[in-house]
Amino acid sequence: MLGMDLAVKLGIGQLEIRSAEGANVVTLPDDRLRHIRALADERGLTVAALASPLWKWCLPEAAPGRVDTFGFSTKVPREERLNWVRRAVETAVILGAPIVRVFSHLRVEPELTEHFVDDPLLPQALEEANRAGVRLLLENEPVCTVAHVEPLLEVLDRYGEQGLGLWLDVANLHEVGQATPEAVRALAPYVGYVHVKDYRPSADDGRAFCPAGEGCVPYGDVLPLLHAARPALPYALETHVRDTPADALTAGAAFLRSAVPGGLA
């Protein structure tokens, strides 16, 4: 596992697992999951979080745009979803991950877009997770229905006592224009995990990913506030730099260690 070996080289003791062996990890059988866990154990690594694709989906009749779900279908019938929740929870338990990421439904045609806050599957999923001893954290994802501060707070206020927390992606918050000190202070009580990636605007009005700390995401304003409010949070580097991911992770790790004392495990 090249990612595990790089983590060891960088002095990182924890892993976030999203895919393995060319597949989304929630689709792998138990024996392959146990093998992945054994590989991590051999290297002295623990699994901090399962980056599952739960709720990054829509109804089969909807037409989502281009979405990266790392080998998992974007179209999932309602009758199949609880089984995928259960599978993700089982996967987390086998890997030893205390945290499972969820999303909030893809934004599709208005008449087919589903509403996360009222989804009857969410309380069921929280019950399944609580029973298994893992926690569900909602990522703020721009292609999904809950990406801005106000709806995030609505969902977290409603389900926080049932265990739902926030998987905060600072760059995603910046993408929707809300990576501000005020937003971070409001969201901080709910944050259980932080995604860190960076980018620069590209000539085609898109994004060119770069090592953390070298782009336009205002980490200098946000990270000190977040660390002051929640000093024990784990920070995870995302690997979005396609050409030189190892170099980008190495530079990003150095940046995080300078920006967040003790934040990168």
Side-chain angles (χ1 to χ4, degrees), residues 5 10 25 48 61 66 114-115 131 172 182 184 192 208 222:
D5 292 337
L10 295 176
V25 73
E61 59 267 31
R66 183 180 177 183
E114 300 168 89
H115 300 287
R131 189 180 302 118
N172 287 351
E182 294 76 19
V184 170
V222 169

Side-chain angles (χ1 to χ4, degrees), residues 35 71 73 75 87 101 104 139 144 163 170 172 174 204 228 238:
H35 177 66
S73 177
K75 298 185 176 185
R87 184 57 191 159
R101 176 181 66 182
S104 59
E139 179 170 349
C144 293
V170 180
N172 287 351
H174 181 63
D204 59 356
E238 284 199 272

Side-chain angles (χ1 to χ4, degrees), residues 3 7 21 24 35 56-57 63 71-72 80 105 113 135-136 158 193 227 232 239 248 258 263:
E21 302 183 354
N24 194 293
H35 177 66
K56 204 170 190 178
W57 56 42
F72 191 84
E80 297 179 9
H105 294 297
T113 295
R135 189 180 184 201
L136 303 185
R158 181 165 172 178
Y193 193 78
H227 180 68
T239 52
S258 67

Side-chain angles (χ1 to χ4, degrees), residues 2-4 6-7 10 12 14-19 51 68 70 101 139 167 169 171 193-199 208-212 219 235-253 256 264:
L2 294 177
M4 293 187 187
L6 179 60
L10 295 176
I12 296 171
Q14 295 182 307
L15 302 171
E16 174 190 312
I17 296 183
R18 174 174 52 197
S19 55
D68 195 349
F70 294 88
R101 176 181 66 182
E139 179 170 349
W167 181 299
D169 189 306
Y193 193 78
V194 184
H195 252 182
V196 176
K197 62 177 180 279
D198 214 340
Y199 62 89
F209 288 104
C210 61
Y219 287 113
Y235 292 78
L237 289 165
E238 284 199 272
T239 52
H240 281 289
V241 179
R242 304 293 185 186
D243 296 336
T244 56
D247 291 343
L249 287 173
T250 301
L256 269 180
L264 184 63

Side-chain angles (χ1 to χ4, degrees), residues 15-87:
L15 302 171
E16 174 190 312
I17 296 183
R18 174 174 52 197
S19 55
E21 302 183 354
N24 194 293
V25 73
V26 301
T27 68
L28 294 177
D30 287 1
D31 64 320
R32 301 316 301 163
L33 296 175
R34 286 191 286 267
H35 177 66
I36 294 166
R37 172 74 179 270
L39 291 174
D41 290 343
E42 289 171 5
R43 292 161 174 80
L45 301 169
T46 59
V47 181
L50 171 64
S52 90
L54 295 179
W55 274 278
K56 204 170 190 178
W57 56 42
C58 60
L59 295 170
E61 59 267 31
R66 183 180 177 183
V67 179
D68 195 349
T69 56
F70 294 88
F72 191 84
S73 177
T74 57
K75 298 185 176 185
V76 182
R78 285 182 175 138
E79 62 270 19
E80 297 179 9
R81 294 174 179 178
L82 180 57
N83 285 336
W84 281 117
V85 167
R86 288 172 173 159
R87 184 57 191 159

